[in-house]
Amino acid sequence: MARRRLRFSCLFCEHCCYFSAEHEMPIVFPWEKRELEKIAAEMNIKLGFKPSQAFIDEDGACVVTLYKWIIQGFCPFFNRASRHCMIHEDKPLACKMYPLLVELPSGKLMASGKCDWIKQHGPKLMEHLSTRPELIPELFPNEFEAAKRVFIEFMTINSFIERHGLRPMDVSKLSECASVYDIDEYMARSE
């Protein structure tokens, strides 16, 4: 008899949709931020974001590449009664790849210890993944694809930034900029 292969299946534990500290909150690309704001406006939901990473060009234009989605408590799109995401198909990559986490800029892939499925399979699973990382796409196929997209988008942005000589800047100084663009808007006007 063939042994059934292990594969991630969401247990709807709600840990991925609850945030008590800023470092846990999702990082989103500017185009994802705008899409979330559009959906939220249609649902009469208020969202908060703050720039997480920014650069400045030689002319003093500031460019935001990543935003922190500020969520205190449960995600506003999380339906606590059904324990499901109300925007599942439209949620950002940070949510689609969970319980996988991508460390940027290194690209190191990790699994969240908050996830009940990860906890259920315990330290043995984590040890197995650390010795056989090639199993990650097999165990987390959809989540791995989302994580790959995050890394590809991040590397594409970084390549553009390097080619155009943009320099890192402190996001707290964005208010001092003459103009502020999201990276995708800046890329479109630069091409």
Side-chain angles (χ1 to χ4, degrees):
M1 181 192 260
R3 214 172 105 192
R4 198 179 127 233
R5 294 209 94 129
L6 185 63
R7 186 172 176 179
F8 174 72
S9 178
C10 181
L11 301 176
F12 304 101
C13 65
E14 72 189 30
H15 298 307
C16 60
C17 300
Y18 184 86
F19 305 91
S20 58
E22 191 170 312
H23 72 273
E24 300 173 335
M25 297 173 193
I27 297 289
V28 296
F29 292 106
W31 52 92
E32 292 178 310
K33 172 189 172 283
R34 289 192 302 273
E35 182 62 23
L36 289 166
E37 289 171 330
K38 179 181 160 201
I39 294 167
E42 292 168 2
M43 298 172 78
N44 201 27
I45 294 173
K46 296 243 185 274
L47 300 181
F49 297 91
K50 74 179 196 182
S52 178
Q53 183 182 60
F55 294 82
I56 188 165
D57 71 11
E58 61 188 20
D59 298 324
C62 299
V63 183
V64 178
T65 56
L66 297 170
Y67 286 90
K68 174 79 70 171
W69 182 6
I70 305 300
I71 305 170
Q72 297 293 328
F74 282 102
C75 173
F77 297 116
F78 180 69
N79 182 319
R80 290 185 67 192
S82 68
R83 295 180 137 189
H84 285 77
C85 177
M86 295 186 291
I87 63 164
H88 183 74
E89 295 303 315
D90 298 313
K91 64 186 178 183
L93 290 169
C95 299
K96 288 180 179 179
M97 70 182 189
Y98 192 84
L100 298 180
L101 307 169
V102 177
E103 181 183 81
L104 298 174
S106 72
K108 180 180 177 186
L109 199 56
M110 300 166 282
S112 173
K114 282 177 49 176
C115 173
D116 279 356
W117 189 89
I118 298 287
K119 288 179 194 172
Q120 185 180 72
H121 291 87
K124 193 170 185 166
L125 171 69
M126 299 308 276
E127 182 182 319
H128 196 61
L129 291 177
S130 69
T131 58
R132 300 214 30 228
E134 71 275 7
L135 294 177
I136 292 172
E138 185 180 312
L139 290 173
F140 305 94
N142 298 329
E143 298 75 16
F144 182 72
E145 286 304 311
K148 271 190 351 189
R149 284 187 48 213
V150 165
F151 189 68
I152 290 167
E153 293 289 351
F154 183 78
M155 295 309 291
T156 301
I157 289 168
N158 277 356
S159 177
F160 176 88
I161 287 167
E162 286 177 20
R163 279 194 325 272
H164 289 81
L166 279 70
R167 299 175 317 279
M169 69 168 294
D170 183 343
V171 294
S172 68
K173 298 187 184 221
L174 282 171
S175 61
E176 299 169 15
C177 299
S179 56
V180 179
Y181 300 94
D182 283 338
I183 186 63
D184 52 328
E185 297 164 334
Y186 185 86
M187 290 169 82
R189 68 185 276 277
S190 297
E191 298 297 319

